[in-house]
Amino acid sequence: MDQNPYRRKPSPISTTTGGSNLVTSSELLPMKFLSFGTMKLTRTFTTCLILFSVLLAFSMILHHHPSDPNRIMGFAEARVLDGRDYSNVTVTNDSNDSDRLLGGLLATGFDEASCLSRYQSPLYRKPSPYKPSPYLLSKLRSYETLHKRCGPGTEPYKKALTQLDQEHIDNNGECKYVVWVSFSGLGNRILSLASVFLYALLTDRVLLVDRGKDMEDLFCEPFPDISWLLPLDFPLTSQFDGLNQDSPRCYGHMLKNQVVGNDKTLSHLYLHLVHDYGDHDKMFFCQGDQTFIGKVPWLVVKTDNYFVPSLWLIPGFDEELEKLFPQKETVFHHLGRYLFHPTNQVWGLVTRYYEAYLSNADEKIGIQVRVFDVGAGPFQHVMDQISSCTRKEKLLPDVDTVIERSRRVTTPKKHKAVLVTSLNSGYSENLKSMYWEYPTLTGEIIGVHQPSQEGYQQTEKKMHNGKALAEMYLLSMTDSLVTSAWSTFGYVAQGLGGLKPWILYKPENRTAPDPACGRAMSMEPCFHAPPFYDCKAKTGVDTGKLVPHVRHCEDMSWGLKLV
């Protein structure tokens, strides 16, 4: 018998017609064709009915939602900018160009694919209630024009380079520059770079950024057409690591040794504004010294400080700053979102984590833990402090540790996602265990997530800094934020997100402070090492009491911040 079905002969079909007579397949063919025609007609009718229903549905949608680019885009209408599905991203803001450009902060004309974060970041945050002033927008556009005219590779830049070979110059060139030296940890670098950029705006200088180990791997170019990165062949780059208070061209050193004269203009000057700077270095913040410094075409700055608050205390700068920032606590909020756009690699870390763990939560709570105690953590007093703060401030609910009580839930449970960032995983694991083992008294569901746990700070490692930047951005996307005292990591997150955090006060003697935390006066970072000097009276003064908008910080009594 042939076992291959494709070679078998057709067998008679056992069908009876009025009896037991067999009907062969050839006799059944007319019946098959008739049946086939009927089925075809039925399918055609069904298809037409479905198409009519779809067209009717589209007509109703278009009738109720006109194709207006300025209409509000809700959760189900999240925009897709890079081909990936953003349906899980909660979008609460307008889709018009004003919002896409952060109220006009960002310039147009960039290749969007080369830096996805530049225009996608509004998808992941609520609209900022703080709008940039028209004067700031005008100043930024003017700066971009200046940068394009004088930036690396241009004729004015090449001409200015020739001045570096001279001790003194007879006349200033077309353009002046300030070079920011990459120095310290990532949080310090971000804050200090924002400070130097603001100084460049105030003094009509072109900002050039030392690449350091990883700056071009972390951030996109913020200015159109011309790079902000210092060219690799810049003549002074080899000297950067050795710059300190005793460098011959250090302004403080020259003042101290009385070698600064007003009769000749120096070709370049080094400004030492690091936390260990001395009294002569701090003369940078005096108006008279700014007059001299302003004539020098090349300034090289090394700093790990957010020195913006003290710029407001310099006569001449204060009036310009008032026009740039009528809402004084918005300086870093605006400049940070203008300058710092993560590269696509870092942005991928941000978006993948957000969509996986945070996007579906009803509320997102950020907790940034930075411990300065020596020894291996986690520390119980820090855990106690976190728990006390989040419960007292109603950020997280209490748990029922006495008995597992059955509750009939009549309304959907609220889901809170808690994002913890720390070098140690112990604090998030403690929270996670607590909310897994016991129910909350409110019925809320708490999910605890920590993207990384690096163990210790690894400033010089690219991937470590990439993760750190991603976590700063993730914290800035939360609804409420808890930060640690003295931490520039937390300062960056609160500023980017426009958030006034609850600050965990610094513990003393490994004891949780009481109260555990307090609400920040503003979202501005703290200047950790400000000068205490009255330039006019030439005497010491409490610079936190000179003007109402510059006060001492909540987390560092001698620091200064804008409010």
Side-chain angles (χ1 to χ4, degrees):
M1 181 177 179
D2 191 354
Q3 297 299 317
N4 191 333
Y6 296 104
R7 293 199 296 268
R8 294 177 191 163
K9 295 180 181 179
S11 61
I13 301 176
S14 299
T15 305
T16 59
T17 57
S20 60
N21 297 332
L22 294 176
V23 181
T24 65
S25 60
S26 60
E27 292 174 302
L28 194 62
L29 283 175
M31 297 172 60
K32 289 173 64 178
F33 281 115
L34 179 61
S35 174
F36 177 76
T38 304
M39 291 172 61
K40 185 175 182 181
L41 181 63
T42 302
R43 285 199 300 268
T44 303
F45 176 76
T46 304
T47 301
C48 292
L49 185 61
I50 292 173
L51 287 173
F52 175 76
S53 301
V54 171
L55 289 172
L56 180 63
F58 269 112
S59 174
M60 294 176 66
I61 291 171
L62 292 174
H63 176 73
H64 291 288
H65 299 283
S67 180
D68 179 4
N70 293 319
R71 66 188 173 89
I72 300 296
M73 184 170 284
F75 176 82
E77 299 173 297
R79 289 162 281 178
V80 179
L81 298 180
D82 63 348
R84 292 186 292 125
D85 181 12
Y86 283 86
S87 59
N88 288 332
V89 180
T90 303
V91 180
T92 56
N93 46 316
D94 291 33
S95 59
N96 56 29
D97 278 345
S98 175
D99 181 73
R100 183 168 173 269
L101 302 177
L102 300 179
L105 274 179
L106 304 183
T108 57
F110 288 97
D111 173 19
E112 296 187 21
S114 66
C115 184
L116 297 172
S117 65
R118 193 188 317 274
Y119 301 123
Q120 284 183 11
S121 60
L123 288 168
Y124 294 87
R125 296 192 187 106
K126 294 179 180 179
S128 173
Y130 308 100
K131 305 305 178 185
S133 69
Y135 190 75
L136 173 61
L137 301 184
S138 174
K139 192 77 171 181
L140 292 175
R141 300 295 85 83
S142 296
Y143 175 81
E144 291 159 3
T145 301
L146 174 67
H147 196 93
K148 184 175 181 179
R149 176 166 55 88
C150 300
T154 63
E155 288 304 317
Y157 173 81
K158 295 175 183 177
K159 184 178 179 181
L161 278 181
T162 63
Q163 297 176 321
L164 290 173
D165 297 329
Q166 307 169 32
E167 183 71 18
H168 299 89
I169 59 172
D170 296 327
N171 59 336
N172 280 321
E174 181 181 350
C175 306
K176 294 184 295 182
Y177 299 86
V178 56
V179 178
W180 172 85
V181 176
S182 183
F183 172 71
S184 193
L186 182 59
N188 297 73
R189 281 188 281 162
I190 291 174
L191 296 178
S192 67
L193 181 48
S195 303
V196 175
F197 175 65
L198 179 57
Y199 180 71
L201 284 182
L202 293 171
T203 57
D204 295 321
R205 290 180 179 271
V206 174
L207 170 69
L208 297 177
V209 173
D210 170 33
R211 300 163 191 258
K213 299 288 185 181
D214 55 9
M215 289 300 292
E216 59 185 324
D217 297 314
L218 296 174
F219 300 106
C220 302
E221 296 280 354
F223 312 132
D225 303 316
I226 299 290
S227 177
W228 71 338
L229 295 174
L230 189 69
L232 294 172
D233 59 356
F234 184 68
L236 303 181
T237 301
S238 61
Q239 302 177 25
F240 287 171
D241 288 343
L243 292 174
N244 56 46
Q245 291 170 290
D246 297 321
S247 298
R249 284 299 182 98
C250 176
Y251 183 62
H253 177 79
M254 297 177 73
L255 281 180
K256 184 178 180 180
N257 292 281
Q258 300 179 344
V259 294
V260 174
N262 293 319
D263 54 334
K264 293 182 179 180
T265 301
L266 297 172
S267 60
H268 68 279
L269 200 58
Y270 167 57
L271 300 173
H272 187 82
L273 302 180
V274 184
H275 65 274
D276 64 352
Y277 62 165
D279 292 338
H280 290 93
D281 299 304
K282 295 175 184 177
M283 298 301 289
F284 167 82
F285 296 102
C286 292
Q287 183 183 25
D289 295 78
Q290 279 299 321
T291 301
F292 173 81
I293 294 171
K295 298 175 183 178
V296 181
W298 285 97
L299 299 178
V300 178
V301 182
K302 182 183 283 189
T303 179
D304 55 359
N305 279 305
Y306 181 74
F307 58 77
V308 168
S310 289
L311 293 179
W312 287 76
L313 302 180
I314 302 176
F317 285 176
D318 56 344
E319 295 180 3
E320 182 75 356
L321 287 166
E322 289 274 0
K323 292 189 290 183
L324 289 169
F325 303 100
Q327 295 174 294
K328 297 172 181 60
E329 66 166 319
T330 63
V331 177
F332 183 75
H333 180 57
H334 292 323
L335 296 186
R337 293 180 303 148
Y338 173 75
L339 289 173
F340 303 114
H341 309 288
T343 57
N344 286 353
Q345 181 182 9
V346 178
W347 188 240
L349 297 176
V350 175
T351 56
R352 287 190 295 272
Y353 200 89
Y354 183 94
E355 291 161 11
Y357 300 105
L358 305 178
S359 61
N360 291 321
D362 298 306
E363 186 178 351
K364 296 175 282 293
I365 310 296
I367 302 177
Q368 182 260 332
V369 183
R370 180 71 167 94
V371 179
F372 295 95
D373 289 337
V374 178
F379 299 102
Q380 186 59 47
H381 67 278
V382 176
M383 192 64 239
D384 293 340
Q385 184 181 8
I386 295 170
S387 180
S388 174
C389 173
T390 53
R391 294 186 189 186
K392 181 180 178 181
E393 300 299 335
K394 308 299 182 183
L395 298 174
L396 292 177
D398 286 315
V399 295
D400 185 355
T401 59
V402 178
I403 187 172
E404 181 83 34
R405 301 169 187 169
S406 60
R407 297 180 178 85
R408 178 173 295 178
V409 180
T410 57
T411 58
K413 295 181 179 180
K414 186 176 182 180
H415 173 208
K416 284 187 175 182
V418 181
L419 176 72
V420 178
T421 65
S422 174
L423 294 172
N424 190 298
S425 63
Y427 304 107
S428 64
E429 290 298 329
N430 189 298
L431 284 171
K432 187 182 296 184
S433 296
M434 180 175 66
Y435 285 113
W436 180 36
E437 294 171 5
Y438 303 103
T440 61
L441 291 175
T442 60
E444 295 170 303
I445 302 300
I446 309 298
V448 181
H449 314 283
Q450 181 171 345
S452 72
Q453 44 274 328
E454 298 288 280
Y456 60 95
Q457 190 167 349
Q458 305 166 54
T459 300
E460 298 303 319
K461 289 190 176 181
K462 291 182 180 180
M463 182 50 71
H464 175 85
N465 286 328
K467 291 178 180 178
L469 179 58
E471 291 183 357
M472 291 177 193
Y473 258 80
L474 285 167
L475 286 171
S476 76
M477 295 170 179
T478 58
D479 301 303
S480 300
L481 181 61
V482 178
T483 62
S484 296
W486 296 20
S487 175
T488 56
F489 192 108
Y491 295 160
V492 173
Q494 71 194 43
L496 291 175
L499 302 168
K500 294 180 182 179
W502 284 265
I503 303 173
L504 295 169
Y505 297 127
K506 191 172 182 297
E508 300 291 342
N509 301 318
R510 300 204 171 188
T511 303
D514 185 18
C517 64
R519 193 73 183 271
M521 293 181 287
S522 75
M523 58 188 169
E524 273 289 288
C526 178
F527 181 9
H528 285 178
F532 292 98
Y533 185 72
D534 187 325
C535 298
K536 289 183 178 180
K538 300 186 183 303
T539 185
V541 67
D542 186 348
T543 48
K545 296 181 178 180
L546 296 179
V547 293
H549 50 274
V550 177
R551 300 184 189 175
H552 289 297
C553 308
E554 305 90 343
D555 57 330
M556 185 174 283
S557 60
W558 61 88
L560 296 180
K561 71 180 297 183
L562 288 163
V563 296

